[in-house]
Amino acid sequence: MNWTNENREKEQDLLRRWAENRSDRFPGIEQEETSYFIEKDSDERYIMDYTFDTLPELQKLFDKILADDIEEEVKMICGVAALKRSDILDQNNRMNIVEHRYMF
Amino acid sequence: MYILGISALYHDSAAALICDGEIIAAAQEERFTRVKHDLSIPRKAVRYCLKEAEISVNELEAVVFYDNPILTLDRFLHNLAAAGEDTQDLLEASFEELFSKKIWIHKLLKSRLKLPEQTKILVCEHHISHGASAFYPSPYEDAAIITMDGVGEWATTTIGYGNKNEVKIIQQINYPHSIGLLYSAFTYFCGFKVNSGDYKLMGLAPYGKPVYYDLIKKYLIDIKADGSYRLNLDYFDFQYGRAMTNDKFAELFGGSRREPESVITRREMDMASSVQKVIDEVLILTAKTARTITGAKNLVMAGGVALNCVANGKLLKEKIFDHIWIQPASGDAGGALGCALYAYYHYYGNERVRLHKSDSQRGSYLGPAYTDEEIREYLEYNGYKYHQYENIDEFYKMVADMICEEKVIGLFQGRMEFGPRALGNRSIIGDASSEKMQSLINLKIKYRESFRPFAPSVLAEDLHSYFDLSSEDSPYMLLCADVREEIKKPFDLDALFEQTNLDMLPIVNTPRSTIPAVTHVDYSARIQTVSEERNPDYYRMIKKLKEVTGKSVIINTSFNVRGEPIVCTPEDAYLCFMRTQMDVLILNHFVLLKEEQVPLVEEKDWRIQYELD
């Protein structure tokens, strides 16, 4: 597949529309709960080999790691967004810390 | 087996190199690039680590990244979905960095570090990296593990357990609920910078009263009896990729955010005090739960919140655990060390053999050192006037005399510290008993806010002569405790505030103890104990001061000016010395006096180089 720099914003738009449709909610404060801790029951992903070159290889990583509620269509959008940006590796832009929002 | 750990792309990028489980070298990239909190791929730090071990990249068994980018993507997608129609800022803030850098971390590492194509790249979960950085170097066979930070992938707080070569997370709290982000929200609102100004809020807290504590608990956070918590997201904006707080938050605290560099008012002092009380509470309750569910007698901690030495000191006082060890590079930089160690023990299944009597952090002196020959060459080449001391006893006597004369000394010796604290090798030191020293160093040397306190370095054996710390030591300056009653002086903060109309400078200049320069306005101090085992040169220097004066406490603050990374090289040290009103520079055993130096002439104003932090 030939990935180009064209239409890089397309995936942002697709994710924006997807998010609008989902409109999930983060869990909020619940007075009747006694604990907000979440049990961690698996150590499978504590450490893992990390490599991919192609979209199918990246999709495999997505299948393994992304939560079940992330639709295949969204995984594809993310995969394409990443592959379109593989050329960025040749650039050496300095990243700067920002002062008003948390870096995450 | 050499393993290289890397942290990058979030806060403080760093590299750490281990060999067969032993820490060989570790350093933050900012020290080499001179860009504070540099978050780029740490090429220079890696180059240093490899040089220290005298190896090339071909000899690395694996390179480990301290965060799993796909898990971060998972959080990003769920965050987007929760933002619904308000995704614009979130996408602008994170989309490009995520898809063009973080996801490509394996390629980025290979290209920027010039790794062979076949190099094994591993990614480690963020809080496992933190937990491993706390447990493996600790002196304990087994321990409960607490990690707390803003967020790493999903987790923001974890309770785990370490035993022999295993580290596991038992339970956690997930984003967006984060005690670290709550603290960052207050940091931001009080006019300090997110990602770098949290320690200022901690320093400000003792000036205030926790009058907003109930308000915070009523409106902003719900804390359960086991220490778990959730934030009320109605008051925050970080989840939309914007500033930390919103208008509703401002309304709650009676007005808008303090403008950076403007006058600090009673409100900011009280907000700092109040959120500190909340942090203390969450940490203590979480520790009680950790003790219950792990049954361990020892606790280890890491993550940015573990740098809150006030909360750490309160936790220690509670005596929930018999012993506590905190990773000195608890922020993201330390993740580089943790992920390398985790790979060695967990991925490669090696047995954990504890080779050291205390911990295996080597005093956190894990960075570059310069030989006398290198320093002489540097001084000679530049024609700087210096005095070299061959007789070590005379050298220490000279340092003691200078301290007594209230000289401010830039101290550069041995290996650079790993982590945010200067521990005697890249430090500015001075007389702790001087009444003028705190404001002098703050305003004329560090060019920073007058309210900020300095830490004491004290001989380990004299710790309890000066401080009420319920621990044998505090080698990494991560525990706060009060000075002892008998050295306190009467000090009424409220009365002083009334007299001075909230001007902090006269308050800072009012002595609180016989060691006023390192005694905060609430009588607390952020202590570093100095032992011969961890830093023999620094120990002997203070020991000589004790012989001369009977005092074994000195001021220790990091060797830099505001906004500048701590000095790394003799050149950095010389420039910092010449740009400030420091009196003396010590480079190993070479002594430079300010009055003997030719004034520095620079084409550009250095203040432009270092943006205020």
Side-chain angles (χ1 to χ4, degrees):
Chain A
M1 206 175 295
N2 180 28
W3 302 108
T4 71
N5 280 339
E6 285 171 29
N7 204 5
R8 284 184 159 202
E9 290 74 34
K10 184 180 172 188
E11 285 71 35
Q12 279 202 43
D13 290 338
L14 290 170
L15 285 182
R16 186 179 293 114
R17 264 182 268 153
W18 166 75
E20 282 169 11
N21 288 331
R22 280 261 305 226
S23 289
D24 291 358
R25 282 184 69 81
F26 282 123
I29 288 170
E30 293 174 42
Q31 298 298 345
E32 63 279 10
E33 290 284 340
T34 55
S35 176
Y36 293 130
F37 278 123
I38 300 162
E39 300 295 319
K40 181 102 170 174
D41 53 5
S42 165
D43 62 359
E44 278 174 23
R45 295 179 309 206
Y46 279 0
I47 193 163
M48 56 188 283
D49 288 77
Y50 190 82
T51 186
F52 70 87
D53 285 307
T54 65
L55 185 59
E57 287 168 350
L58 179 56
Q59 294 296 104
K60 266 190 191 169
L61 274 177
F62 287 164
D63 289 341
K64 190 173 169 186
I65 300 170
L66 293 179
D68 294 341
D69 66 342
I70 300 296
E71 300 88 339
E72 290 302 318
E73 171 203 351
V74 175
K75 291 180 191 169
M76 180 58 76
I77 295 167
C78 291
V80 171
L83 267 291
K84 272 187 178 177
R85 284 158 179 80
S86 59
D87 62 318
I88 295 281
L89 295 171
D90 300 329
Q91 301 169 17
N92 189 12
N93 301 331
R94 174 166 295 286
M95 293 171 71
N96 292 316
I97 203 153
V98 291
E99 56 190 76
H100 65 284
R101 66 174 172 81
Y102 195 80
M103 296 287 288
F104 56 82
Chain B
M1 179 190 287
Y2 286 101
I3 300 174
L4 181 69
I6 300 287
S7 73
L9 309 182
Y10 292 87
H11 300 110
D12 289 303
S13 71
L17 183 69
I18 63 166
C19 178
D20 298 334
E22 275 283 286
I23 306 168
I24 304 297
Q28 290 123 286
E29 183 72 355
E30 64 163 26
R31 306 291 168 86
F32 302 93
T33 60
R34 313 307 297 154
V35 176
K36 189 96 168 162
H37 302 296
D38 195 339
L39 51 149
S40 40
I41 299 293
R43 285 188 294 182
K44 293 184 175 182
V46 168
R47 195 181 306 150
Y48 154 67
C49 287
L50 297 174
K51 188 179 164 203
E52 188 70 42
E54 298 178 341
I55 62 166
S56 75
V57 286
N58 299 314
E59 289 162 82
L60 295 171
E61 187 75 26
V63 176
V64 195
F65 188 64
Y66 82 130
D67 191 275
N68 185 323
I70 311 289
L71 268 180
T72 299
L73 172 65
D74 190 63
R75 195 220 36 240
F76 172 73
L77 291 171
H78 285 90
N79 199 159
L80 270 186
E85 295 183 355
D86 196 0
T87 56
Q88 187 60 35
D89 293 317
L90 200 53
L91 283 163
E92 276 179 18
S94 301
F95 187 89
E96 282 301 331
E97 279 175 19
L98 191 51
F99 288 104
S100 65
K101 289 198 172 77
K102 289 171 183 166
I103 281 184
W104 288 102
I105 189 63
H106 56 307
K107 297 280 186 189
L108 265 181
L109 292 174
K110 283 182 181 173
S111 70
R112 300 281 157 85
L113 302 180
K114 298 190 172 24
L115 303 174
E117 190 47 42
Q118 71 276 13
T119 306
K120 181 182 272 297
I121 305 288
L122 302 170
V123 295
C124 186
E125 277 193 33
H126 189 103
H127 280 262
I128 282 289
S129 298
H130 277 319
S133 79
F135 176 66
Y136 292 123
S138 79
Y140 314 133
E141 191 74 12
D142 79 309
I145 303 169
I146 292 176
T147 65
M148 287 183 180
D149 68 3
V151 60
E153 298 129 1
W154 271 106
T156 63
T157 293
T158 73
I159 296 176
Y161 180 61
N163 186 22
K164 294 182 177 140
N165 71 340
E166 277 302 318
V167 163
K168 64 175 180 178
I169 293 172
I170 300 167
Q171 54 193 36
Q172 68 185 46
I173 292 170
N174 279 351
Y175 176 88
H177 306 293
S178 164
I179 200 74
L181 289 176
L182 177 75
Y183 201 77
S184 285
F186 277 77
T187 299
Y188 163 78
F189 195 79
C190 289
F192 304 117
K193 288 185 180 178
V194 180
N195 303 301
S196 66
D198 289 342
Y199 56 98
K200 294 187 186 180
L201 196 69
M202 187 176 72
L204 186 62
Y207 291 92
K209 290 189 168 31
V211 295
Y212 297 117
Y213 169 75
D214 290 334
L215 193 77
I216 294 171
K217 288 190 64 174
K218 185 174 179 187
Y219 291 102
L220 300 183
I221 186 168
D222 180 38
I223 304 169
K224 300 298 185 192
D226 63 357
S228 63
Y229 57 85
R230 276 187 189 163
L231 303 182
N232 182 350
L233 297 174
D234 292 346
Y235 291 86
F236 301 93
D237 247 5
F238 63 79
Q239 67 276 27
Y240 298 107
R242 295 194 282 267
M244 297 301 297
T245 59
N246 60 18
D247 291 346
K248 210 169 165 182
F249 188 100
E251 213 173 288
L252 195 63
F253 293 99
S256 57
R257 174 198 186 210
R258 170 188 165 251
E259 281 300 314
E261 307 306 318
S262 66
V263 173
I264 293 171
T265 69
R266 168 64 76 183
R267 182 186 69 159
E268 285 80 51
M269 298 174 201
D270 289 342
M271 287 182 76
S273 173
S274 304
V275 75
Q276 181 65 50
K277 190 173 174 185
V278 172
I279 298 288
D280 299 346
E281 180 177 333
V282 168
L283 182 60
I284 288 166
L285 290 173
T286 305
K288 285 178 180 169
T289 302
R291 172 82 206 227
T292 304
I293 64 175
T294 65
K297 292 177 181 171
N298 307 309
L299 172 68
V300 297
M301 296 199 294
V305 179
L307 291 171
N308 191 310
C309 51
V310 176
N312 296 343
K314 290 193 178 141
L315 174 63
L316 186 74
K317 261 186 161 174
E318 292 286 316
K319 297 189 187 303
I320 299 162
F321 288 91
D322 293 359
H323 304 284
I324 298 177
W325 192 87
I326 304 160
Q327 166 56 240
S330 264
D332 274 11
L337 178 60
C339 66
L341 290 166
Y342 191 73
Y344 179 75
Y345 290 114
H346 183 88
Y347 186 87
Y348 290 104
N350 289 297
E351 195 182 336
R352 180 173 176 234
V353 182
R354 285 178 37 236
L355 301 169
H356 302 273
K357 197 175 78 178
S358 53
D359 60 50
S360 57
Q361 185 78 14
R362 296 170 176 242
S364 220
Y365 304 108
L366 301 170
Y370 293 82
T371 63
D372 281 353
E373 203 43 54
E374 286 171 315
I375 289 173
R376 184 186 295 106
E377 247 175 56
Y378 166 75
L379 296 173
E380 290 286 347
Y381 179 80
N382 288 288
Y384 299 147
K385 187 159 186 199
Y386 64 88
H387 305 267
Q388 186 180 4
Y389 282 76
E390 303 284 356
N391 182 318
I392 295 302
D393 199 56
E394 274 179 25
F395 170 72
Y396 290 140
K397 173 75 170 56
M398 177 277 302
V399 177
D401 289 342
M402 296 267 192
I403 290 172
C404 292
E405 290 163 21
E406 296 188 305
K407 303 279 190 208
V408 179
I409 302 170
L411 178 60
F412 180 105
Q413 58 181 359
R415 295 185 72 178
M416 184 178 71
E417 298 86 345
F418 181 50
R421 305 278 169 255
L423 300 170
N425 283 4
R426 300 290 186 276
S427 293
I428 295 171
I429 59 171
D431 184 4
S433 58
S434 165
E435 291 181 8
K436 67 175 189 185
M437 206 47 88
Q438 183 179 357
S439 55
L440 173 76
I441 296 182
N442 267 337
L443 300 174
K444 294 190 174 172
I445 289 164
K446 306 268 291 186
Y447 301 112
R448 67 182 201 182
E449 301 92 334
S450 63
F451 72 86
R452 291 172 60 188
F454 289 115
S457 289
V458 58
L459 292 183
E461 63 265 30
D462 293 341
L463 167 66
H464 297 112
S465 304
Y466 293 95
F467 305 103
D468 265 333
L469 184 73
S470 53
S471 168
E472 288 306 302
D473 63 5
S474 174
Y476 301 115
M477 214 185 264
L478 287 167
L479 297 170
C480 271
D482 283 359
V483 297
R484 289 186 70 86
E485 282 300 326
E486 52 267 38
I487 67 167
K488 285 181 184 172
K489 288 184 175 175
F491 181 79
D492 187 338
L493 184 60
D494 291 333
L496 278 167
F497 266 139
E498 275 192 24
Q499 286 168 25
T500 63
N501 197 22
L502 293 182
D503 183 356
M504 287 175 169
L505 195 55
I507 293 170
V508 164
N509 288 333
T510 306
R512 281 83 66 186
S513 76
T514 57
I515 44 171
V518 293
T519 307
H520 209 346
V521 294
D522 60 350
Y523 292 113
S524 69
R526 182 161 46 91
I527 303 158
Q528 180 202 3
T529 53
V530 182
S531 65
E532 190 153 27
E533 179 203 351
R534 285 196 173 89
N535 194 336
D537 290 336
Y538 196 38
Y539 175 85
R540 286 169 202 152
M541 195 175 278
I542 304 174
K543 184 101 174 164
K544 178 56 80 176
L545 178 74
K546 187 182 176 185
E547 277 174 37
V548 173
T549 66
K551 296 176 229 165
S552 51
V553 183
I554 59 172
I555 293 176
N556 174 8
T557 185
S558 54
F559 196 156
N560 60 347
V561 293
R562 185 178 173 191
E564 180 192 17
I566 295 176
V567 300
C568 178
T569 65
E571 169 88 355
D572 301 334
Y574 185 81
L575 288 174
C576 187
F577 166 60
M578 291 303 294
R579 287 165 173 172
T580 65
Q581 293 187 34
M582 234 179 280
D583 301 299
V584 184
L585 172 63
I586 294 174
L587 301 168
N588 288 359
H589 300 122
F590 298 88
V591 178
L592 287 80
L593 305 175
K594 178 63 69 61
E595 65 264 25
E596 293 179 349
Q597 305 303 310
V598 176
L600 196 64
V601 179
E602 294 183 283
E603 282 178 15
K604 285 182 187 169
D605 184 354
W606 61 269
R607 289 173 189 84
I608 298 165
Q609 184 184 346
Y610 301 121
E611 192 184 332
L612 293 179
D613 64 2

